[in-house]
């Protein structure tokens, strides 16, 4: 059992302020991106969602809220509670991976079965996002006792699944990019912010930013390349019908 310590006012360091701010940006972007189709669906006249999509939406929202909570707890100096909540976050992260994969595939299967236009971005983009999330968050959990590594990898892992709401923001703001690519570009803004923070605060990149960020960008490039490959397109077609 994790023992709770007596709370005392803590100084909000630049590091805590940066990661708390990034968590707030992620939460706001998630709400804005999903507001028309999920959070404020009745106001926008959105179509009813399937049970699977509701479960996916609840899990995704739960993760973002937990991430916001966890960074807030560290900013407040409550690492003791952070560790307790981390058990819940770990369990939810495990659920999100198969749920994300199932949602991406089944949504397209249903659209194909009903002769509807393809729903959402090409399959490789959501699958690539959940794969990146799984690797980065899984590594962050293994390195949870190394705070600098843990917080950077958790930020990048959470940013990976932000591609979907950011892609929707790209779509309804008409910024001139295909939604799937727009979502990737906007998540790179978060990575860039982390790079700038490291350089300004440390004079160089933290290894977690270097290796985690490199993996983050590499999976983005791989998604774009695979999406254009006939072999992948044939495989995706076999999965979705």
């Amino acid at each position: 059992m994790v023992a709770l310590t007596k709370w005392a006012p803590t100084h909000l360091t630049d590091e805590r302020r940066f990661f708390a701010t990034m968590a707030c940006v992620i939460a706001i972007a998630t709400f804005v991106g999903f507001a028309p189709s999920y959070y404020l669906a009745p106001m926008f006249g959105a179509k009813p969602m399937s049970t699977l999509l509701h479960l996916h939406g609840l899990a995704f929202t739960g993760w973002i809220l937990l991430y916001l909570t966890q960074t807030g707890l560290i900013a407040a100096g409550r690492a003791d509670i952070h560790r307790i909540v981390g058990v819940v976050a770990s369990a939810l992260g495990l659920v999100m991976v198969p749920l994300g994969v199932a949602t991406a595939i089944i949504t397209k299967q249903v659209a194909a079965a009903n002769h509807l236009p393809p729903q959402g971005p090409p399959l490789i983009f959501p699958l690539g996002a959940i794969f990146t999330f799984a690797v980065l968050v899984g590594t962050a959990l293994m390195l949870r006792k190394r705070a600098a590594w843990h917080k950077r990898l958790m930020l990048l892992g959470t940013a990976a699944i932000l591609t979907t709401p950011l892609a929707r923001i790209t779509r309804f703001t008409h910024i001139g990019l295909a939604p799937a690519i727009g979502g990737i570009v906007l998540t790179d803004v978060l990575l860039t912010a982390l790079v700038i923070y490291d350089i300004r605060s440390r004079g160089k990149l933290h290894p977690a930013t270097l290796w985690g960020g490199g993996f983050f960008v590499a999976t983005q490039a791989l998604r774009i390349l695979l999406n254009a490959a006939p072999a992948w397109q044939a495989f995706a077609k076999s999965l979705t019908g």
Side-chain angles (χ1 to χ4, degrees), residues 122 124-125 128 178 180-185 188 217-230 232-233:
I124 188 60
F125 290 98
I181 303 301
I184 285 176
V185 170
D188 285 340
V217 173
T219 60
Q220 292 178 336
L222 184 61
R223 275 171 257 176
I224 295 171
L225 292 174
L226 280 178
N227 188 55
W232 168 261
Q233 292 177 359

Side-chain angles (χ1 to χ4, degrees), residues 4-66:
L4 296 179
T5 58
K6 184 177 180 180
W7 181 82
T10 184
H11 175 62
L12 190 61
T13 63
D14 288 343
E15 181 178 61
R16 288 174 172 176
R17 184 180 295 109
F18 170 76
F19 284 99
T21 299
M22 294 294 280
C24 290
V25 169
I26 286 173
I28 292 169
T30 299
F31 178 78
V32 172
F34 284 133
S37 62
Y38 190 60
Y39 300 122
L40 303 178
M43 295 176 60
F44 287 85
K47 295 179 181 179
M49 300 176 69
S50 67
T51 300
L52 178 62
L53 286 175
H54 273 298
L55 289 174
H56 181 262
L58 287 172
F60 187 101
T61 302
W63 179 266
I64 298 301
L65 291 177
L66 278 172

